[in-house]
Structure formats: structure tokens, C-alpha cells
Amino acid sequence: MNFLNEVSQHWPDAVSLAAGRPYEEFFDDDAPGRWLDRFRRHLADDLGQTPEQVRRTLFQYGRTKGIIHHLIARNLAVDEDVHVDDEAVVVTVGCQEAMLLVLRALRAGPTDVLLAVAPTYVGLTGAARLVELPVRPVAGGPAGVDLADLRAQVHRARAAGLRPRACYVMPDFANPSGTSIGLADRQRLLDLAVEEDLLLIEDNPYGLFPAGDADRVPTLKALDTRRRVVYLGSFAKTVLPGARIGYLVADQRVGGVDGAVGLFADQLAKIKSMVSVNTSPLAQAVIGGALLEHGCSLVAANRRERAAYTRNRDQLLAGLRRRFPAGSPVRWNTPAGGFFVVVTVPFPVDDALLRRSAERYGVLWTPMAHFYDDGRPVDALRLSVSAVTPAQIDLGLDRLAALITDELTRAAIPAG
Amino acid sequence: MNFLNEVSQHWPDAVSLAAGRPYEEFFDDDAPGRWLDRFRRHLADDLGQTPEQVRRTLFQYGRTKGIIHHLIARNLAVDEDVHVDDEAVVVTVGCQEAMLLVLRALRAGPTDVLLAVAPTYVGLTGAARLVELPVRPVAGGPAGVDLADLRAQVHRARAAGLRPRACYVMPDFANPSGTSIGLADRQRLLDLAVEEDLLLIEDNPYGLFPAGDADRVPTLKALDTRRRVVYLGSFAKTVLPGARIGYLVADQRVGGVDGAVGLFADQLAKIKSMVSVNTSPLAQAVIGGALLEHGCSLVAANRRERAAYTRNRDQLLAGLRRRFPAGSPVRWNTPAGGFFVVVTVPFPVDDALLRRSAERYGVLWTPMAHFYDDGRPVDALRLSVSAVTPAQIDLGLDRLAALITDELTRAAIPAG
């Protein structure tokens, strides 16, 4: 991520098909203040807090697990048909902190390992590195997860004396692959988790952005009758990145160091108290107010954003078809929603190529090699459609096509 | 901390001389909105950002090291005579995240250890446990740090094959001891750090709250001509806890994994990107606006709060003198400022006693044993004067005196 930031700062005029940031056109100057007021009224009118208590809730240190947990639980019920106790929710500093907490809790000793569907979000591998929890890749493939490979990896790890604690997966419009897991495979994945005594860490930042209504599939957590799923959520894409509010749902019953059995969420909250004490109540209040303004549903609230992402995705796919017609060695996938499309080319795609692309062609994208932890070359790149206009997409594709054409020509000329 | 929360939730009517939260009387409902607007104008008028850029700065993902770093650097120059490059500042999710980042960076291998002046703030020992960095205590004593013991502990650790990376110290009105380090000892501590090739981690949450003007002493960082000090700051006590904004200053030059030399702050920012990506720009903007409103000085801005803490401290000390006159076996220290006073009694003070105090006497305080990591009994308790009124202090002391009298009587009667 640092390399990407550096490149984009160095070439600010390049079209960025790299950034996974949400669409900016609908940002509203007045929204944070309005939402803060809305949450204040909720504390007073719905929760019966006195003016002094409202001030204390917003301005003081506060509850480690957060102050909008009840609204998040309601949001999950309304939007995802996920029904969990408020106490199983921990509000975190973005989804990144949620990942860190879960991975730190799972890392009890040096034989613990994490499985993760590859390619994998870099925030996950970064957090795992920080807590010294080795990540072993599981093949993703066109179905989103290769279940046979997952089972084989579990067995392989155990045979090596290791303890696979969980498998990380992004079932909806994954970052970076764009791939989704079908309903039948979700059920099979949950069964496998039970059979192999594995937790599933479900990360769902893009679930509200299907291209078509039929492209929404129940989350693993909605199907999780056996408490195998720790769910990670984010309001960065559905409300506002600048609040840095995410959350986790951990309704598993676990034994603590003192032998008492409690909620996994409470164990994670103890870790959180050593990472950030608690999440900013002011920032939580902004998100809480947004949830209240929309009756705790973010589906309708994101109608315009979803339409923009779908329009952009269609623009990108049509643009790729036009520039690389049948017969071209350039291929791409067609995600059913989300922010990302993966383009495969017949040459290795590395940081040096990205730098050349930025410098000479004026277009940024992300080498897919960043999402594999093994340093091997990968012949693919990720394009993001989330923070650009259709005109920028066309300009970016023109420049990308020029780069690819030059690379193909260069590959066709034998070295002198 | 969790035990304390549990006790205070269980006996909400007890007078709390336990909470280290800042004074609430001056919290202002309108302040966050006003400060946010003030920072918006700064982005537009002082930094020349367009309305679109202002929205992006506040609402999008942002710079890992933060967006109010320049204001924090100015604040340090104005209030502390500390002069550092903006780029050496990392804005963090409260001071807790700053601690975590520094400790994680220092923990390069299993022989690394941290020294910390004992008694030690529990947030430090918690963060150290999380990153598996063992903490070895250094005697604090009445002078704030026992320099001979510090040197002995460094040598002892090295003789045991360990690598003492740094010493954590709170030189001003420390939590929990209330003790401060004098100017001459600060100079000696800096010399010792150079001689022993040690970093000093200076944590300074209470520096702006001296009881008298003569009680302010330059920070270690202000005296740090040899870049031995990593400075940790917090706006929780000086502006608003609910923003959860802290920061660190790390102007050391260090070698990275790639061999290149860079700022320690940049290495810490990389770790931060895996913990929380970036600190909420909205929360930063609130603090940034507060800084701007006061010309980047928080000394005058905290005039009323400082007066309240001094008044409360005086009330507590006078109340102790009245209830435990000369000849009493009860003793206490007289901190030159800050939030805390330590009371020593002739019997062990543990969690069971605190529970009895809450249940039967209606007063909360903190066992000093919480601030030592070795589980040994300690005959002392911490009283906090920061979040109470003078009337509450009197009531709390009445109750505490009743508890202590009963304990002394009980100790005087031989077991039957």
C-alpha cells in the first residue's frame, strides 16, 4: 500500500484505476453534523439519557465494545438477515482493527497458522505479519474458493504439526479478485468448517454493491447456524471512510485464561483495550446517526453509489471489449458487483511495469502480485472502478491499452 | 481496567476516586461542530484546498501519518519548546495506539525487552503483553526514577543475553504515582540513555496540569539534543477524550529492512497501516480545530481545568490531613500536579478490599498492585481527583476513612 501511495503521489495527474476508495460525488458537507445531531437525539429520546449523560457518552472515554453496537446489530438484521445479540458486536477503528484483534486472539502459540483464500487483501496479510501468524494460501479460483484445496491445506498443515485456526474469506465481490462464492458453495464451506473444526473469518466490505438484484447472495453469517463465522464489517464504503468505523461480530462461546466461558467478542474487546482503548465515540456517533437516518438500512441509502459502481463496471467491461476484441491475448473476469476487475495479460506484471505505466502512460493500477505473499510473478493486474468517472475510465483504458500494446510488441521482438 | 469497569458498573452510586477521566464540567455541546468548521476553514484558507479537496481530506481515507501533524508540531513548539519536523509526527488513535506502534517496532526478536519505571501505567504493560515484549521494572522512588537502578537493570538484562531496547517513563505527575522527575535528573537520564545506547519513551498526558507555575519542568523531548526520546502525546486530557486522538514524535533516523535509512516515524506509520490504516480524519479535524481556535496553545485553553484539578488536589490533601492527623499510620504523597495521589496504609490493598470498599462503604479507588506486574501485595492505593467535585471528594474521603479505620481495627484484633 505504501508503494502505491508513493506512486500516486509522485504522478498526481495519472488516471488512477488503482485506488479502492469509495465514490466521492455524493459526499455531503452537512452530513457529519446532521448525523451527529441525529445520534444525540437518539441518546436523549430513545435511550433516555440526560443532557449530562449525552455529553459524557460522546465526549468522554467510553465502552470498549462501542456505543453503536445496538444499531449495528439492527442494521445486520435489516440488511443481511443476520440476527446476533448486541453484545456480540465490537465497534472497531475501521475493519483493519477488527482483523488485527481477531488474528491476535487466534495467535496463541507458534504452531498456529491462518488459512486465507488467495489472492488475499493486503490488509489481512499485513495484520497477520504484525501478530506473527503465518498465512497459508488456499486456492480461490473462479468459484471464489476451492473447497478441495481448503480441505487439503487443513490436512497438510496438521500433518506438519501446525494448528490451522481459521480461514479468511471475502465471499462477495472480493478484493482483489472481484469473485463471489455461490450459495451452494457457501453451504459446503460452512459444513467443511464444522467437519474440520475451523473458524471462518468473513470480510464483507462490498456486499451492498451487486451489479444486479439477483447478484446478492446471503452472507456466510446469515447461513451460520453453528457459530462458525466471525463476521467483519465496514462503514467505509457504505457511509463514510473518514469516520474509520468498522466492526466485528463474534458470537462464539470461548474459554478464557481463567477457565470461565464467555463471548469471543469479550475476549476481543480485552485485546482492543490494549490497541486503542475504545473507538472514538464522536466518530461512532456520525455513523450511528447515518444508520438512524436510514432506519438502520444502508441498501436504499446506497442506491446512487451502487448505480455509479455498476455504471462504471459496465463502462470498464465495454471499454475492455472494444480495445481488446476476440482473439486478443488479453483476458478479464466479469464480477457480479463490487469495485474490482482483474485483467490477465501474457507477460509478468510487476512494480517496475507499474512505475513505467505511471511515468510514461499516465495510468495507475495494481499488480496482482501484491495480493500473493510468495513473491512469484503474476501475469495480471487489478482495475478499480470505484473512485473514477466514466470519462476517466475511458482515458485510463486508452492509456492502459497503449501500455499493453507496447509490451506485447516488445515481447514479440527478440532481444538483440 | 476491565475489573475496575466492572466494579464501577456494579456500584454506580459509589463515589469514584478511581477514574482517571478528565473533568466534565466544561464540556461544551457546540465545541465539536465549531472545531470541525474551524479546521475546514484552515484547509481552505490556509492550505488552499478547493471545496472538493476539503471534502476528500475529511471524508475519504487519508494520509497514514495524519492530517493535523503540522498543527501538533506547532503546538509542541508553542507549549513545550519542542521543535520537530512535521514529518516526525504520527497522529494515532489515542496515545494507546502510539504505545502499541512503538513497542511493536522495538520488538524485533525474542531477546528484546523493555524497561519501565515502576509503578507503570497499565496501558503500557497491556500493549507490551500484546506484542510479547517482556517488561522489566525499574525502581521509581520519590525522585520519579532511580537512575542507579536503571543502569543496573540495563546491565542485568544484557548479562542475561537480553536486549533492553528502551525505557518507558512518565516524567510529569505520573500515572499512577503522581511523581515528577526534577530537571537535573532529566539531564542525567538523557546522559544515561546515550551512555547505555537506550531509547527513552516519554509519555506526557498530564504535563499541562502543574499545581503551581513553578511546577512545570521542560519535557525530556525539549532537552533531547541527541534524539534519544520518542515522545507520546494525548489530547484526551487537554481537549476531548471522545475524539481518541493521540500522537507520537519519532525523529530518530533508523535503518529499514531494505537497508535504507529513514525516519523512525515512517517505520511506525507502516505498522500503523496494519493496525488502523489511518486515524479518523473527522476526529482529527475536531482536535485540529481546537488547536487552531487557541493559536495552537493548550496552556491557556486549559486554565479552568487546571484550576479545577489544583482545587481538587488541595481539597483531597487537606481532607487526608484532617482525617489522618500526625501519628496516624496512613501516609500519602504530595504530587506537584496531575490527577493522582498515592495513599499508603499498613495493610495489603487488593481487589477483594476494593470490592468490599465499593459494596459496604460506597467508595472506589485503585489498588496500586494493578500497576506492578509481579502479583505481589502492595500496601497502597491510588486516588484520582480529576473527575469529581469537592463535595464528592469529601464524601469519598469520609467513606475511605471509615474503611481504613475498620481495617486498622480488624488488624489490631488477633484472629480468634
Side-chain angles (χ1 to χ4, degrees):
Chain A
M1 284 196 281
N2 277 292
F3 173 73
L4 272 178
N5 285 339
E6 187 200 312
V7 169
S8 62
Q9 275 165 28
H10 210 91
W11 288 280
D13 295 329
V15 173
S16 178
L17 299 172
R21 302 180 310 184
Y23 201 65
E24 295 178 354
E25 189 187 328
F26 307 124
F27 282 168
D28 171 5
D29 277 341
D30 299 329
R34 191 175 71 237
W35 290 334
L36 183 57
D37 285 342
R38 182 69 189 79
F39 187 74
R40 269 191 173 124
R41 288 203 306 277
H42 168 66
L43 292 177
D45 301 346
D46 302 339
L47 304 188
Q49 293 193 3
T50 63
E52 190 189 23
Q53 286 172 324
V54 169
R55 270 194 295 278
R56 184 172 297 155
T57 301
L58 294 177
F59 293 175
Q60 266 293 11
Y61 290 100
R63 188 173 172 275
T64 308
K65 291 201 285 184
I67 58 169
I68 60 167
H69 52 305
H70 57 300
L71 301 177
I72 292 173
R74 215 188 299 167
N75 168 241
L76 284 169
V78 173
D79 280 351
E80 303 289 354
D81 201 20
V82 167
H83 302 274
V84 290
D85 192 288
D86 296 356
E87 288 297 325
V89 177
V90 181
V91 189
T92 55
V93 181
C95 190
Q96 186 65 35
E97 192 196 27
M99 278 180 206
L100 182 78
L101 301 181
V102 174
L103 299 195
R104 182 62 188 84
L106 293 178
R107 202 272 186 201
T111 61
D112 291 321
V113 295
L114 179 73
L115 303 172
V117 172
T120 312
Y121 171 55
V122 290
L124 188 276
T125 38
R129 205 173 308 125
L130 210 57
V131 303
E132 301 188 338
L133 181 66
V135 178
R136 294 165 77 95
V138 170
V145 58
D146 180 332
L147 293 168
D149 189 55
L150 172 53
R151 200 182 292 271
Q153 292 298 342
V154 171
H155 294 179
R156 199 167 307 163
R158 289 196 176 130
L162 301 172
R163 196 159 69 131
R165 302 297 310 267
C167 180
Y168 170 86
V169 58
M170 213 185 276
D172 293 281
F173 325 123
N175 181 4
S177 69
T179 312
S180 298
I181 301 175
L183 181 58
D185 272 350
R186 292 182 192 223
Q187 295 284 13
R188 283 185 209 109
L189 179 56
L190 288 162
D191 289 342
L192 188 153
V194 172
E195 289 156 24
E196 297 291 350
D197 191 16
L198 208 62
L199 270 183
L200 299 174
I201 302 173
E202 176 177 38
D203 187 5
N204 186 21
Y206 310 105
L208 293 196
F209 306 115
D213 289 334
D215 297 318
R216 268 200 88 189
V217 180
T219 62
L220 291 174
K221 193 65 194 164
L223 305 168
D224 177 33
T225 55
R226 293 160 290 184
R227 303 201 177 181
R228 282 286 149 187
V229 179
V230 173
Y231 183 87
L232 309 182
S234 166
F235 295 107
K237 278 79 182 181
T238 53
V239 183
L240 205 63
R244 298 298 303 125
I245 300 294
Y247 63 93
L248 60 85
V249 178
D251 55 357
Q252 291 73 22
R253 310 290 300 181
V254 293
V257 277
D258 53 0
V261 171
L263 270 176
F264 190 30
D266 289 318
Q267 193 177 311
L268 295 168
K270 276 181 196 159
I271 299 175
K272 177 174 171 62
S273 73
M274 302 169 205
V275 173
S276 62
V277 183
N278 61 304
T279 304
S280 165
L282 281 177
Q284 289 185 70
V286 167
I287 299 299
L291 285 168
L292 288 160
E293 183 171 291
H294 301 291
C296 284
S297 170
L298 295 175
V299 172
N302 276 283
R303 194 181 35 78
R304 292 179 307 177
E305 285 79 0
R306 184 185 153 198
Y309 297 136
T310 304
R311 174 202 69 197
N312 284 1
R313 183 199 74 140
D314 293 348
Q315 180 88 4
L316 185 87
L317 293 172
L320 285 168
R321 278 194 301 271
R322 217 166 35 246
R323 288 169 182 84
F324 305 104
S328 159
V330 178
R331 301 267 179 275
W332 56 89
N333 65 349
T334 303
F339 287 13
F340 308 111
V341 169
V342 174
V343 175
T344 306
V345 291
F347 49 81
V349 175
D350 57 14
D351 285 355
L353 186 66
L354 170 57
R355 208 176 278 272
R356 201 153 66 237
S357 178
E359 191 177 345
R360 298 198 201 155
Y361 298 86
V363 60
L364 305 179
W365 36 263
T366 313
M368 281 296 286
H370 286 194
F371 304 101
Y372 295 88
D373 220 14
D374 56 9
R376 276 186 297 180
V378 181
D379 293 356
L381 53 94
R382 187 195 76 175
L383 299 182
S384 172
V385 299
S386 59
V388 278
T389 61
Q392 287 172 314
I393 290 173
D394 273 337
L395 183 59
L397 283 182
D398 280 345
R399 294 172 176 187
L400 179 67
L403 168 75
I404 290 176
T405 304
D406 288 354
E407 286 300 308
L408 290 172
T409 311
R410 177 203 299 246
I413 301 170
Chain B
M1 284 197 281
N2 277 292
F3 173 73
L4 273 179
N5 285 339
E6 188 199 312
V7 168
S8 63
Q9 276 165 27
H10 211 90
W11 288 280
D13 296 329
V15 174
S16 179
L17 299 172
R21 302 180 310 186
Y23 201 65
E24 294 179 354
E25 189 187 328
F26 308 124
F27 282 168
D28 172 5
D29 277 341
D30 300 328
R34 190 176 72 239
W35 290 334
L36 183 57
D37 284 343
R38 182 70 191 77
F39 187 74
R40 269 191 174 124
R41 288 203 306 276
H42 168 66
L43 292 176
D45 300 346
D46 302 338
L47 304 188
Q49 294 194 3
T50 65
E52 188 189 23
Q53 286 171 323
V54 170
R55 269 194 294 279
R56 184 173 296 156
T57 301
L58 294 178
F59 293 176
Q60 264 295 9
Y61 291 100
R63 187 172 172 274
T64 307
K65 291 202 283 184
I67 59 169
I68 60 167
H69 53 306
H70 57 300
L71 301 177
I72 291 173
R74 217 187 296 167
N75 168 240
L76 284 169
V78 174
D79 281 350
E80 305 287 354
D81 201 21
V82 167
H83 302 273
V84 291
D85 193 289
D86 297 356
E87 288 297 324
V89 177
V90 181
V91 189
T92 55
V93 182
C95 189
Q96 186 65 36
E97 193 195 27
M99 278 181 208
L100 182 80
L101 301 180
V102 174
L103 299 196
R104 182 62 188 84
L106 293 179
R107 201 273 185 201
T111 61
D112 291 322
V113 295
L114 179 72
L115 302 172
V117 172
T120 314
Y121 171 56
V122 291
L124 188 275
T125 38
R129 205 172 308 126
L130 209 59
V131 304
E132 300 188 337
L133 181 66
V135 178
R136 294 165 79 96
V138 170
V145 59
D146 180 332
L147 293 168
D149 190 55
L150 172 53
R151 200 183 294 270
Q153 292 298 342
V154 170
H155 295 178
R156 198 167 307 163
R158 289 196 176 129
L162 301 172
R163 198 159 67 131
R165 302 297 310 267
C167 179
Y168 170 85
V169 58
M170 213 184 276
D172 292 281
F173 327 121
N175 181 3
S177 70
T179 313
S180 297
I181 302 175
L183 181 59
D185 272 351
R186 291 183 193 221
Q187 295 284 14
R188 285 186 208 109
L189 180 56
L190 288 162
D191 289 343
L192 189 153
V194 172
E195 288 155 25
E196 297 292 350
D197 193 14
L198 207 62
L199 270 183
L200 299 174
I201 303 173
E202 176 177 37
D203 187 5
N204 186 22
Y206 311 106
L208 292 197
F209 306 116
D213 289 335
D215 298 319
R216 270 200 88 189
V217 180
T219 62
L220 291 175
K221 193 65 193 166
L223 305 168
D224 178 34
T225 55
R226 292 159 292 183
R227 302 201 178 181
R228 282 285 150 186
V229 179
V230 174
Y231 184 87
L232 310 182
S234 166
F235 295 108
K237 278 79 181 181
T238 53
V239 184
L240 206 63
R244 300 297 303 124
I245 300 294
Y247 62 94
L248 60 85
V249 179
D251 56 358
Q252 290 73 24
R253 310 289 301 180
V254 293
V257 279
D258 52 0
V261 171
L263 271 177
F264 190 30
D266 288 320
Q267 193 177 312
L268 295 168
K270 276 182 197 160
I271 299 175
K272 179 173 170 61
S273 74
M274 301 169 206
V275 173
S276 61
V277 182
N278 61 307
T279 304
S280 164
L282 281 177
Q284 289 185 73
V286 167
I287 299 298
L291 286 168
L292 289 161
E293 184 171 289
H294 301 292
C296 284
S297 170
L298 294 175
V299 172
N302 277 282
R303 194 181 37 78
R304 293 179 308 175
E305 286 79 1
R306 184 186 153 198
Y309 297 136
T310 303
R311 176 200 67 196
N312 284 0
R313 184 200 74 142
D314 293 347
Q315 180 87 6
L316 185 87
L317 293 172
L320 286 168
R321 278 195 299 272
R322 218 166 33 245
R323 289 169 183 84
F324 305 104
S328 160
V330 178
R331 301 266 180 277
W332 56 89
N333 64 349
T334 302
F339 287 13
F340 308 111
V341 170
V342 174
V343 176
T344 306
V345 290
F347 49 82
V349 175
D350 58 13
D351 286 355
L353 186 67
L354 170 57
R355 209 177 277 272
R356 203 154 64 237
S357 177
E359 191 177 344
R360 298 199 201 154
Y361 298 85
V363 60
L364 305 178
W365 36 264
T366 312
M368 282 295 288
H370 286 194
F371 305 102
Y372 295 89
D373 220 13
D374 56 8
R376 277 187 296 180
V378 180
D379 294 355
L381 52 93
R382 188 195 75 176
L383 299 182
S384 172
V385 298
S386 59
V388 278
T389 62
Q392 287 173 316
I393 291 174
D394 273 335
L395 184 59
L397 283 183
D398 281 343
R399 295 174 176 186
L400 180 67
L403 168 76
I404 290 177
T405 303
D406 288 354
E407 286 300 308
L408 290 172
T409 310
R410 179 203 300 246
I413 301 171

